[in-house]
Amino acid sequence: MAQIDWRIQGVTYGSCNCAYGCPCQFEALPTHGDCQGFEALRIDDGHFGDIGLGGLRTIMIYIWPGPIFEGNGTMQIIVDERADAKQRDALTKILHGEETEPFATAWYMYRSTASTVLDPLFKPIELEVNVEARTARLVVPDVIESTGEPIRSPATGDVHRARIDLPYGIEFSQAEIGSGTTKATGAMKLDHKDSYGQFAHLHTTGKGLVR
């Protein structure tokens, strides 16, 4: 059966429990041994077959007891409650790595290493992201709240700017790096302060990033 053609273009804000830089981006082991965090997405333009996806938002929360590649992870997605039934189904498929070439997207990789996949939530998602300024605000009432801001020098308090460039990455080609503070209180628990924050423009399909 032919793969459904889909495309998503927008911006992402994510944060995990690792130190700034995130060792995973450099094929190293996670800072604290485990991996837990989230990625929020604002879709500016996109489709799944003939189903439009522009204007919607999504979140994926994930927890692995060790490095991602060792598996046994738990994940849950949250889809914008404004999405209709077809859009909800389409976004669930995309975020669960369906209709995607093997390991072409980070979502496929996350799903392939998760042994527990919780039922999707359909909730109001407040999301503000400014990639260049390295700022973000995320709120899903009673589920997750996070703020992103630039890294500041512990010596001077001045704003520090750093980027990660991955020419062959599956999650992004280039990301601005900042600081994230997150509290998740739903089925997936997160409690991070001033940990790794990531801000990126995204343009991807079921075949991988559009570079």
Side-chain angles (χ1 to χ4, degrees):
M1 182 179 296
Q3 177 181 306
I4 293 176
D5 175 62
W6 63 266
R7 179 180 63 85
I8 283 177
Q9 193 166 4
V11 296
T12 66
Y13 162 58
S15 181
C16 70
N17 60 322
C18 282
Y20 299 149
C22 182
C24 293
Q25 308 298 341
F26 301 91
E27 297 295 332
L29 298 177
T31 303
H32 306 290
D34 62 338
C35 181
Q36 48 180 273
F38 76 91
E39 181 187 62
L41 165 67
R42 185 192 76 209
I43 303 173
D44 296 328
D45 187 37
H47 66 86
F48 184 83
D50 61 358
I51 301 167
L53 301 175
L56 297 175
R57 300 160 183 172
T58 68
I59 303 166
M60 176 185 290
I61 304 176
Y62 50 79
I63 296 174
W64 287 271
I68 295 174
F69 66 83
E70 291 185 353
N72 296 317
T74 301
M75 59 173 279
Q76 183 173 43
I77 65 169
I78 306 167
V79 174
D80 199 325
E81 68 172 7
R82 297 174 302 158
D84 62 26
K86 289 184 177 180
Q87 291 171 322
R88 292 182 180 193
D89 181 66
L91 289 169
T92 297
K93 283 185 167 67
I94 291 172
L95 295 174
H96 282 171
E98 299 178 36
E99 302 298 337
T100 299
E101 293 184 358
F103 297 99
T105 68
W107 301 318
Y108 182 102
M109 184 265 292
Y110 292 157
R111 175 61 185 88
S112 71
T113 58
S115 54
T116 301
V117 179
L118 303 182
D119 290 339
L121 300 177
F122 303 99
K123 299 282 188 179
I125 299 174
E126 297 179 39
L127 177 61
E128 301 169 6
V129 184
N130 186 318
V131 175
E132 286 69 30
R134 289 96 70 211
T135 59
R137 175 180 175 272
L138 169 67
V139 178
V140 180
D142 302 318
V143 179
I144 185 171
E145 294 189 13
S146 183
T147 56
E149 59 184 17
I151 296 169
R152 292 185 178 275
S153 165
T156 66
D158 292 340
V159 168
H160 176 68
R161 187 175 188 180
R163 290 184 291 203
I164 295 177
D165 191 334
L166 296 177
Y168 307 110
I170 62 172
E171 186 179 11
F172 59 82
S173 292
Q174 186 180 83
E176 296 279 353
I177 307 306
S179 176
T181 294
T182 306
K183 183 81 168 179
T185 56
M188 305 283 286
K189 312 292 187 190
L190 303 176
D191 192 0
H192 309 149
K193 181 174 174 56
D194 299 330
S195 61
Y196 174 76
Q198 176 180 294
F199 311 77
H201 294 280
L202 177 71
H203 188 186
T204 192
T205 72
K207 300 181 186 301
L209 293 181
V210 177
R211 303 183 192 278

Short mmCIF file of all heavy atoms in Angstrom, two decimals, residues 144-195:
data_model
loop_
_atom_site.label_atom_id
_atom_site.label_comp_id
_atom_site.label_asym_id
_atom_site.label_seq_id
_atom_site.Cartn_x
_atom_site.Cartn_y
_atom_site.Cartn_z
N ILE A 144 0.62 20.16 31.45
CA ILE A 144 2.01 20.58 31.33
C ILE A 144 2.11 22.09 31.18
O ILE A 144 1.26 22.72 30.54
CB ILE A 144 2.71 19.87 30.13
CG1 ILE A 144 4.20 20.20 30.08
CG2 ILE A 144 2.01 20.20 28.81
CD1 ILE A 144 4.98 19.37 29.06
N GLU A 145 3.15 22.65 31.79
CA GLU A 145 3.50 24.06 31.61
C GLU A 145 5.01 24.15 31.43
O GLU A 145 5.76 23.44 32.11
CB GLU A 145 3.07 24.91 32.81
CG GLU A 145 1.56 24.99 33.00
CD GLU A 145 1.17 26.02 34.06
OE1 GLU A 145 2.06 26.82 34.45
OE2 GLU A 145 0.02 26.00 34.49
N SER A 146 5.46 25.02 30.53
CA SER A 146 6.89 25.19 30.33
C SER A 146 7.18 26.59 29.82
O SER A 146 6.36 27.18 29.11
CB SER A 146 7.41 24.16 29.32
OG SER A 146 8.82 24.26 29.17
N THR A 147 8.33 27.11 30.20
CA THR A 147 8.81 28.37 29.67
C THR A 147 10.22 28.16 29.13
O THR A 147 11.02 27.43 29.72
CB THR A 147 8.84 29.48 30.73
OG1 THR A 147 9.63 29.05 31.85
CG2 THR A 147 7.43 29.81 31.20
N GLY A 148 10.51 28.79 28.01
CA GLY A 148 11.83 28.74 27.42
C GLY A 148 12.43 30.13 27.36
O GLY A 148 11.71 31.11 27.13
N GLU A 149 13.72 30.22 27.60
CA GLU A 149 14.39 31.51 27.58
C GLU A 149 15.84 31.31 27.18
O GLU A 149 16.35 30.18 27.19
CB GLU A 149 14.30 32.19 28.94
CG GLU A 149 14.91 31.39 30.06
CD GLU A 149 14.71 32.05 31.42
OE1 GLU A 149 13.86 32.95 31.54
OE2 GLU A 149 15.42 31.64 32.36
N PRO A 150 16.55 32.39 26.84
CA PRO A 150 17.95 32.25 26.48
C PRO A 150 18.80 31.77 27.66
O PRO A 150 18.45 32.00 28.83
CB PRO A 150 18.37 33.66 26.06
CG PRO A 150 17.09 34.35 25.72
CD PRO A 150 16.06 33.77 26.64
N ILE A 151 19.91 31.13 27.36
CA ILE A 151 20.91 30.80 28.37
C ILE A 151 21.57 32.10 28.82
O ILE A 151 21.85 32.99 28.01
CB ILE A 151 21.95 29.84 27.79
CG1 ILE A 151 21.31 28.51 27.42
CG2 ILE A 151 23.11 29.62 28.77
CD1 ILE A 151 22.20 27.60 26.60
N ARG A 152 21.85 32.19 30.12
CA ARG A 152 22.55 33.35 30.64
C ARG A 152 23.86 32.92 31.32
O ARG A 152 23.90 31.88 31.98
CB ARG A 152 21.68 34.13 31.63
CG ARG A 152 20.49 34.81 30.95
CD ARG A 152 19.70 35.69 31.90
NE ARG A 152 18.61 36.37 31.20
CZ ARG A 152 18.74 37.52 30.54
NH1 ARG A 152 19.92 38.12 30.51
NH2 ARG A 152 17.71 38.06 29.91
N SER A 153 24.87 33.70 31.14
CA SER A 153 26.16 33.40 31.75
C SER A 153 26.04 33.43 33.27
O SER A 153 25.53 34.40 33.84
CB SER A 153 27.20 34.43 31.31
OG SER A 153 28.35 34.37 32.13
N PRO A 154 26.51 32.38 33.96
CA PRO A 154 26.48 32.40 35.43
C PRO A 154 27.45 33.42 36.01
O PRO A 154 27.32 33.81 37.17
CB PRO A 154 26.89 30.97 35.81
CG PRO A 154 27.69 30.48 34.65
CD PRO A 154 27.08 31.12 33.44
N ALA A 155 28.40 33.86 35.19
CA ALA A 155 29.39 34.82 35.68
C ALA A 155 28.91 36.26 35.57
O ALA A 155 29.09 37.07 36.48
CB ALA A 155 30.70 34.66 34.90
N THR A 156 28.25 36.58 34.43
CA THR A 156 27.87 37.98 34.17
C THR A 156 26.37 38.20 34.08
O THR A 156 25.91 39.34 34.17
CB THR A 156 28.51 38.46 32.86
OG1 THR A 156 27.92 37.71 31.77
CG2 THR A 156 30.02 38.24 32.86
N GLY A 157 25.62 37.11 33.85
CA GLY A 157 24.18 37.26 33.64
C GLY A 157 23.82 37.65 32.23
O GLY A 157 22.64 37.77 31.89
N ASP A 158 24.81 37.83 31.37
CA ASP A 158 24.56 38.21 29.99
C ASP A 158 23.95 37.05 29.21
O ASP A 158 24.23 35.89 29.47
CB ASP A 158 25.86 38.64 29.31
CG ASP A 158 26.41 39.94 29.87
OD1 ASP A 158 25.65 40.70 30.50
OD2 ASP A 158 27.63 40.18 29.68
N VAL A 159 23.14 37.39 28.22
CA VAL A 159 22.53 36.38 27.36
C VAL A 159 23.60 35.72 26.49
O VAL A 159 24.46 36.38 25.91
CB VAL A 159 21.45 37.01 26.46
CG1 VAL A 159 21.02 36.05 25.37
CG2 VAL A 159 20.26 37.43 27.31
N HIS A 160 23.55 34.39 26.42
CA HIS A 160 24.48 33.61 25.62
C HIS A 160 23.70 32.94 24.50
O HIS A 160 22.59 32.45 24.71
CB HIS A 160 25.16 32.55 26.48
CG HIS A 160 26.06 31.64 25.72
ND1 HIS A 160 27.23 32.05 25.14
CD2 HIS A 160 25.94 30.31 25.42
CE1 HIS A 160 27.82 31.04 24.54
NE2 HIS A 160 27.06 29.97 24.67
N ARG A 161 24.28 32.93 23.30
CA ARG A 161 23.61 32.31 22.17
C ARG A 161 24.44 31.15 21.63
O ARG A 161 25.65 31.30 21.38
CB ARG A 161 23.36 33.32 21.05
CG ARG A 161 22.52 32.76 19.91
CD ARG A 161 22.18 33.82 18.89
NE ARG A 161 21.23 33.33 17.89
CZ ARG A 161 20.77 34.06 16.88
NH1 ARG A 161 21.16 35.31 16.73
NH2 ARG A 161 19.91 33.54 16.03
N ALA A 162 23.79 30.00 21.44
CA ALA A 162 24.47 28.83 20.87
C ALA A 162 23.48 28.10 19.97
O ALA A 162 22.28 28.11 20.21
CB ALA A 162 24.96 27.90 21.98
N ARG A 163 24.02 27.45 18.93
CA ARG A 163 23.19 26.68 18.01
C ARG A 163 23.81 25.31 17.77
O ARG A 163 25.01 25.14 17.91
CB ARG A 163 23.05 27.41 16.66
CG ARG A 163 22.22 28.67 16.75
CD ARG A 163 22.02 29.31 15.39
NE ARG A 163 23.26 29.86 14.85
CZ ARG A 163 23.30 30.83 13.93
NH1 ARG A 163 22.18 31.35 13.47
NH2 ARG A 163 24.44 31.28 13.48
N ILE A 164 22.95 24.36 17.42
CA ILE A 164 23.42 23.04 17.01
C ILE A 164 23.05 22.85 15.55
O ILE A 164 21.90 23.05 15.16
CB ILE A 164 22.80 21.92 17.87
CG1 ILE A 164 23.28 22.06 19.32
CG2 ILE A 164 23.17 20.55 17.32
CD1 ILE A 164 22.66 21.04 20.26
N ASP A 165 24.02 22.46 14.75
CA ASP A 165 23.83 22.27 13.31
C ASP A 165 24.02 20.79 13.00
O ASP A 165 25.10 20.23 13.22
CB ASP A 165 24.87 23.12 12.57
CG ASP A 165 24.60 23.19 11.07
OD1 ASP A 165 23.97 22.26 10.54
OD2 ASP A 165 25.03 24.18 10.44
N LEU A 166 22.97 20.13 12.52
CA LEU A 166 23.01 18.71 12.21
C LEU A 166 22.64 18.52 10.73
O LEU A 166 21.46 18.40 10.40
CB LEU A 166 22.05 17.91 13.09
CG LEU A 166 22.33 17.91 14.60
CD1 LEU A 166 21.25 17.12 15.33
CD2 LEU A 166 23.70 17.32 14.89
N PRO A 167 23.61 18.50 9.83
CA PRO A 167 23.31 18.39 8.40
C PRO A 167 22.51 17.14 8.04
O PRO A 167 21.77 17.14 7.05
CB PRO A 167 24.70 18.37 7.75
CG PRO A 167 25.59 19.04 8.74
CD PRO A 167 25.05 18.67 10.08
N TYR A 168 22.66 16.06 8.84
CA TYR A 168 21.95 14.82 8.54
C TYR A 168 20.96 14.46 9.65
O TYR A 168 20.56 13.31 9.79
CB TYR A 168 22.96 13.68 8.34
CG TYR A 168 24.02 14.01 7.32
CD1 TYR A 168 25.34 14.22 7.69
CD2 TYR A 168 23.68 14.14 5.97
CE1 TYR A 168 26.30 14.54 6.75
CE2 TYR A 168 24.64 14.47 5.02
CZ TYR A 168 25.95 14.67 5.43
OH TYR A 168 26.91 15.01 4.49
N GLY A 169 20.55 15.43 10.44
CA GLY A 169 19.63 15.17 11.54
C GLY A 169 18.24 14.79 11.04
O GLY A 169 17.85 15.10 9.91
N ILE A 170 17.48 14.11 11.90
CA ILE A 170 16.10 13.76 11.55
C ILE A 170 15.10 14.61 12.32
O ILE A 170 13.92 14.66 11.97
CB ILE A 170 15.81 12.26 11.80
CG1 ILE A 170 15.98 11.91 13.29
CG2 ILE A 170 16.69 11.39 10.94
CD1 ILE A 170 15.54 10.51 13.64
N GLU A 171 15.56 15.30 13.38
CA GLU A 171 14.67 16.15 14.17
C GLU A 171 14.72 17.60 13.71
O GLU A 171 13.72 18.31 13.68
CB GLU A 171 15.05 16.05 15.64
CG GLU A 171 14.11 16.78 16.59
CD GLU A 171 14.51 16.62 18.04
OE1 GLU A 171 15.63 16.13 18.31
OE2 GLU A 171 13.70 16.99 18.91
N PHE A 172 15.92 18.07 13.36
CA PHE A 172 16.11 19.42 12.86
C PHE A 172 17.43 19.47 12.10
O PHE A 172 18.30 18.61 12.26
CB PHE A 172 16.12 20.44 14.00
CG PHE A 172 17.18 20.21 15.05
CD1 PHE A 172 18.49 20.63 14.84
CD2 PHE A 172 16.88 19.56 16.23
CE1 PHE A 172 19.48 20.42 15.79
CE2 PHE A 172 17.85 19.34 17.20
CZ PHE A 172 19.16 19.77 16.97
N SER A 173 17.57 20.51 11.28
CA SER A 173 18.86 20.77 10.64
C SER A 173 19.69 21.73 11.48
O SER A 173 20.90 21.59 11.61
CB SER A 173 18.66 21.35 9.24
OG SER A 173 18.09 20.41 8.37
N GLN A 174 19.00 22.72 12.06
CA GLN A 174 19.67 23.66 12.94
C GLN A 174 18.69 24.09 14.04
O GLN A 174 17.53 24.37 13.76
CB GLN A 174 20.15 24.90 12.18
CG GLN A 174 20.98 25.86 13.03
CD GLN A 174 21.42 27.07 12.24
OE1 GLN A 174 20.67 28.03 12.08
NE2 GLN A 174 22.65 27.03 11.73
N ALA A 175 19.17 24.12 15.26
CA ALA A 175 18.32 24.52 16.39
C ALA A 175 19.04 25.56 17.23
O ALA A 175 20.25 25.49 17.45
CB ALA A 175 17.97 23.31 17.25
N GLU A 176 18.28 26.53 17.70
CA GLU A 176 18.77 27.48 18.70
C GLU A 176 18.64 26.79 20.07
O GLU A 176 17.65 26.12 20.35
CB GLU A 176 17.94 28.76 18.69
CG GLU A 176 18.01 29.55 17.41
CD GLU A 176 19.27 30.42 17.33
OE1 GLU A 176 20.00 30.49 18.35
OE2 GLU A 176 19.50 31.02 16.27
N ILE A 177 19.66 26.98 20.90
CA ILE A 177 19.67 26.31 22.20
C ILE A 177 19.45 27.33 23.31
O ILE A 177 20.06 28.40 23.33
CB ILE A 177 21.00 25.57 22.41
CG1 ILE A 177 21.27 24.64 21.23
CG2 ILE A 177 20.97 24.79 23.72
CD1 ILE A 177 20.15 23.68 20.91
N GLY A 178 18.57 26.96 24.24
CA GLY A 178 18.26 27.83 25.36
C GLY A 178 18.03 27.03 26.61
O GLY A 178 18.54 25.91 26.78
N SER A 179 17.24 27.60 27.50
CA SER A 179 16.98 27.01 28.80
C SER A 179 15.47 26.78 28.95
O SER A 179 14.67 27.64 28.59
CB SER A 179 17.47 27.96 29.91
OG SER A 179 17.15 27.46 31.19
N GLY A 180 15.11 25.62 29.47
CA GLY A 180 13.70 25.31 29.67
C GLY A 180 13.39 24.97 31.12
O GLY A 180 14.20 24.33 31.80
N THR A 181 12.24 25.42 31.58
CA THR A 181 11.75 25.05 32.92
C THR A 181 10.35 24.48 32.73
O THR A 181 9.47 25.14 32.17
CB THR A 181 11.72 26.27 33.85
OG1 THR A 181 13.07 26.70 34.08
CG2 THR A 181 11.07 25.91 35.19
N THR A 182 10.15 23.25 33.19
CA THR A 182 8.95 22.49 32.84
C THR A 182 8.37 21.76 34.03
O THR A 182 9.11 21.21 34.86
CB THR A 182 9.29 21.44 31.74
OG1 THR A 182 9.90 22.09 30.63
CG2 THR A 182 8.04 20.70 31.29
N LYS A 183 7.04 21.74 34.10
CA LYS A 183 6.33 20.96 35.10
C LYS A 183 5.16 20.25 34.40
O LYS A 183 4.29 20.90 33.83
CB LYS A 183 5.79 21.87 36.20
CG LYS A 183 5.07 21.14 37.33
CD LYS A 183 6.06 20.57 38.33
CE LYS A 183 5.37 20.09 39.60
NZ LYS A 183 6.33 19.52 40.57
N ALA A 184 5.18 18.93 34.41
CA ALA A 184 4.08 18.14 33.86
C ALA A 184 3.47 17.33 35.00
O ALA A 184 4.18 16.64 35.73
CB ALA A 184 4.57 17.21 32.76
N THR A 185 2.15 17.40 35.12
CA THR A 185 1.48 16.81 36.27
C THR A 185 0.40 15.79 35.88
O THR A 185 -0.34 15.32 36.73
CB THR A 185 0.83 17.91 37.13
OG1 THR A 185 -0.07 18.68 36.30
CG2 THR A 185 1.88 18.84 37.72
N GLY A 186 0.33 15.45 34.59
CA GLY A 186 -0.65 14.46 34.14
C GLY A 186 -0.11 13.06 34.36
O GLY A 186 0.65 12.79 35.30
N ALA A 187 -0.47 12.15 33.48
CA ALA A 187 0.01 10.77 33.57
C ALA A 187 1.53 10.72 33.40
O ALA A 187 2.20 9.84 33.94
CB ALA A 187 -0.67 9.91 32.52
N MET A 188 2.07 11.65 32.64
CA MET A 188 3.51 11.76 32.42
C MET A 188 4.04 12.88 33.30
O MET A 188 3.62 14.03 33.17
CB MET A 188 3.79 12.05 30.95
CG MET A 188 3.20 11.05 29.98
SD MET A 188 4.12 9.52 29.88
CE MET A 188 5.55 10.05 28.94
N LYS A 189 4.97 12.57 34.20
CA LYS A 189 5.47 13.54 35.17
C LYS A 189 6.83 14.08 34.74
O LYS A 189 7.77 13.32 34.48
CB LYS A 189 5.62 12.89 36.55
CG LYS A 189 4.42 12.09 37.02
CD LYS A 189 3.22 12.96 37.31
CE LYS A 189 2.10 12.12 37.94
NZ LYS A 189 0.83 12.87 38.03
N LEU A 190 6.93 15.40 34.69
CA LEU A 190 8.20 16.07 34.44
C LEU A 190 8.37 17.19 35.45
O LEU A 190 7.39 17.85 35.83
CB LEU A 190 8.24 16.67 33.03
CG LEU A 190 8.02 15.76 31.82
CD1 LEU A 190 8.02 16.58 30.54
CD2 LEU A 190 9.08 14.67 31.76
N ASP A 191 9.60 17.42 35.89
CA ASP A 191 9.88 18.52 36.82
C ASP A 191 11.32 18.96 36.60
O ASP A 191 12.25 18.45 37.22
CB ASP A 191 9.66 18.08 38.26
CG ASP A 191 9.67 19.25 39.24
OD1 ASP A 191 9.83 20.41 38.78
OD2 ASP A 191 9.51 19.02 40.45
N HIS A 192 11.52 19.90 35.66
CA HIS A 192 12.86 20.33 35.28
C HIS A 192 12.98 21.83 35.43
O HIS A 192 12.05 22.57 35.11
CB HIS A 192 13.15 19.97 33.81
CG HIS A 192 12.87 18.55 33.46
ND1 HIS A 192 12.46 18.15 32.21
CD2 HIS A 192 12.94 17.42 34.21
CE1 HIS A 192 12.28 16.84 32.19
NE2 HIS A 192 12.57 16.37 33.39
N LYS A 193 14.13 22.28 35.87
CA LYS A 193 14.39 23.72 35.99
C LYS A 193 15.72 24.03 35.32
O LYS A 193 16.74 23.40 35.62
CB LYS A 193 14.43 24.15 37.46
CG LYS A 193 14.67 25.65 37.64
CD LYS A 193 14.55 26.05 39.09
CE LYS A 193 14.94 27.52 39.30
NZ LYS A 193 14.14 28.44 38.46
N ASP A 194 15.69 24.99 34.42
CA ASP A 194 16.90 25.45 33.73
C ASP A 194 17.67 24.30 33.12
O ASP A 194 18.89 24.16 33.30
CB ASP A 194 17.80 26.23 34.71
CG ASP A 194 17.12 27.47 35.26
OD1 ASP A 194 16.27 28.03 34.54
OD2 ASP A 194 17.42 27.87 36.39
N SER A 195 16.96 23.46 32.38
CA SER A 195 17.60 22.36 31.66
C SER A 195 17.62 22.67 30.17
O SER A 195 17.24 23.76 29.73
CB SER A 195 16.88 21.04 31.96
OG SER A 195 15.53 21.09 31.53
#
